Amino acid sequence: MSITDFNCTYNNGAGVNEEIVQKTKLKFPDAYKNWEDMAVLAKEIKNHEDASFCTLPFCHTLEGEALGAVINYGDERIGPRGKDYLTSSIEDLLSISELDFSKGRLAEVLKACSYLRQEGENVALYISGPFTILNLLIDLRYVFKAFKKSPEVMEKILEKLRVELLRFIREAQNMGVNIFSYGDSSGGLNILGPKLSEQIVEMFTYPLLKEAQQIITDDSVMLLCPKTSFALIGTNKAKWKNVELKESMKYDKACVSMIGKAKFLGEMCIKNKNYILKDGVIKSIELI
């Protein structure tokens, strides 16, 4: 088998609907930084989209910032994005600090998740993959060079990121998150190519998800970016399983209904909430 790419129609740019901005009267970019505003914004976006869950954070820069990247927080039209790299030396990444869940935006996001769950909301948390994180810490050109010239260094860096993401998942689980969304937009087949994509599944993605599978309780589910799903399927690390829903259903509602019935889903982007599963079947992903 070989990896099939998924044509993503969404980008990583954040941004808030003007109607929501006017209704909440939140100030930006402050609303991206403190848990009270995050909770208000997440709930209002959920209601505006008629979604089945709140989603946090509003970007894919959270882990990178917590590891040292400098972030431009943007405004209501353009959300947080990378501003300055942490380093230009791949070896420097071996000594980056651990994620600290007690301070900064990382702590605020977790507080918002906890609050929303206490309010009875289903909460989906974005978890970024290694290349999305690295792309904030260092120019990816150095990363690609390192895979060829210093593969042992890259292996150690990926292992460090894997450990940190698993710590993040555990902490988020403890804070009440019941839907995890994992993706790596900067690490798709169209960017890495077939050989490196397969290598990343072996070195990182599959080991990460095998352990995450043990962390995620029966009260939670993980939604995989289809690019990740197809990479796992294409390397024989996972298989699809059809699960009957008994009726046609919006994708987001179907995902919530699968909590406790599957560990992983991933046939559709989490952002495509209104996609209708007309045949009343959703595909779960079973790791091999």
Side-chain angles (χ1 to χ4, degrees), residues 10-11 44 47 78 92 95 106 116 121 152 162 165 180 184 191 205 209 219 233 239 249 255 258 261 263:
Y10 295 93
N11 59 44
E44 203 56 52
N47 293 336
I78 302 174
D92 287 349
S95 57
L106 189 58
L116 288 167
E121 299 288 349
E152 69 288 344
R162 186 184 69 83
L165 289 184
F180 294 90
D184 196 11
I191 297 173
T205 312
L209 297 181
D219 298 323
I233 300 294
K239 60 183 179 180
M249 194 178 295
C255 289
M258 292 302 293
K261 298 177 183 178
K263 288 288 187 179

Side-chain angles (χ1 to χ4, degrees), residues 59-278:
C59 63
H60 296 274
T61 64
L62 185 66
E63 299 95 334
E65 180 186 30
L67 292 171
V70 179
I71 302 302
N72 181 337
Y73 288 106
D75 52 32
E76 67 272 22
R77 295 181 301 277
I78 302 174
R81 58 201 184 277
K83 182 179 180 181
D84 290 318
Y85 294 126
L86 174 66
T87 182
S88 60
S89 169
I90 201 73
E91 285 76 14
D92 287 349
L93 299 181
L94 292 170
S95 57
I96 53 176
S97 59
E98 295 181 346
L99 293 174
D100 187 341
F101 306 120
S102 67
K103 67 180 184 180
R105 193 158 55 107
L106 189 58
E108 297 298 307
V109 166
L110 291 170
K111 289 176 188 174
C113 290
S114 178
Y115 171 80
L116 288 167
R117 282 295 287 145
Q118 290 173 25
E119 290 287 297
E121 299 288 349
N122 292 303
V123 179
L125 177 70
Y126 286 131
I127 304 288
S128 295
F131 285 91
T132 300
I133 297 172
L134 289 171
N135 193 34
L136 294 166
L137 298 171
I138 189 171
D139 191 318
L140 285 184
R141 290 179 299 172
Y142 298 115
V143 173
F144 296 135
K145 287 179 182 178
F147 269 108
K148 295 179 179 179
K149 296 184 177 181
S150 308
E152 69 288 344
V153 174
M154 281 311 308
E155 188 172 351
K156 290 178 181 177
I157 291 170
L158 289 177
E159 173 62 12
K160 186 176 182 65
L161 291 178
R162 186 184 69 83
V163 169
E164 291 306 304
L165 289 184
L166 289 170
R167 288 182 60 239
F168 187 23
I169 293 170
R170 283 193 188 92
E171 187 68 20
Q173 182 87 83
N174 292 337
M175 297 294 279
V177 171
N178 63 339
I179 302 172
F180 294 90
S181 174
Y182 177 81
D184 196 11
S185 59
S186 296
L189 177 67
N190 58 319
I191 297 173
L192 304 186
K195 185 176 180 181
L196 185 53
S197 291
E198 185 173 345
Q199 190 178 347
I200 294 304
V201 171
E202 294 279 352
M203 292 173 62
F204 188 91
T205 312
Y206 184 68
L208 174 81
L209 297 181
K210 283 290 280 187
E211 194 161 345
Q213 186 173 243
Q214 303 304 314
I215 297 171
I216 297 170
T217 67
D218 290 339
D219 298 323
S220 306
V221 68
M222 180 173 280
L223 314 182
L224 303 180
C225 167
K227 287 179 177 287
T228 300
S229 301
F230 289 168
L232 290 165
I233 300 294
T235 51
N236 292 312
K237 294 297 185 183
K239 60 183 179 180
W240 296 111
K241 179 183 177 182
N242 287 344
V243 182
E244 296 286 340
L245 297 170
K246 298 182 180 179
E247 61 180 345
S248 62
M249 194 178 295
K250 282 173 55 183
Y251 186 64
D252 67 325
K253 185 178 179 181
C255 289
V256 171
S257 76
M258 292 302 293
I259 293 174
K261 298 177 183 178
K263 288 288 187 179
F264 301 105
L265 305 170
E267 64 183 290
M268 186 58 58
C269 177
I270 186 176
K271 295 178 182 178
N272 201 354
K273 300 181 180 73
N274 292 318
Y275 178 82
I276 303 295
L277 297 165
K278 295 179 181 178

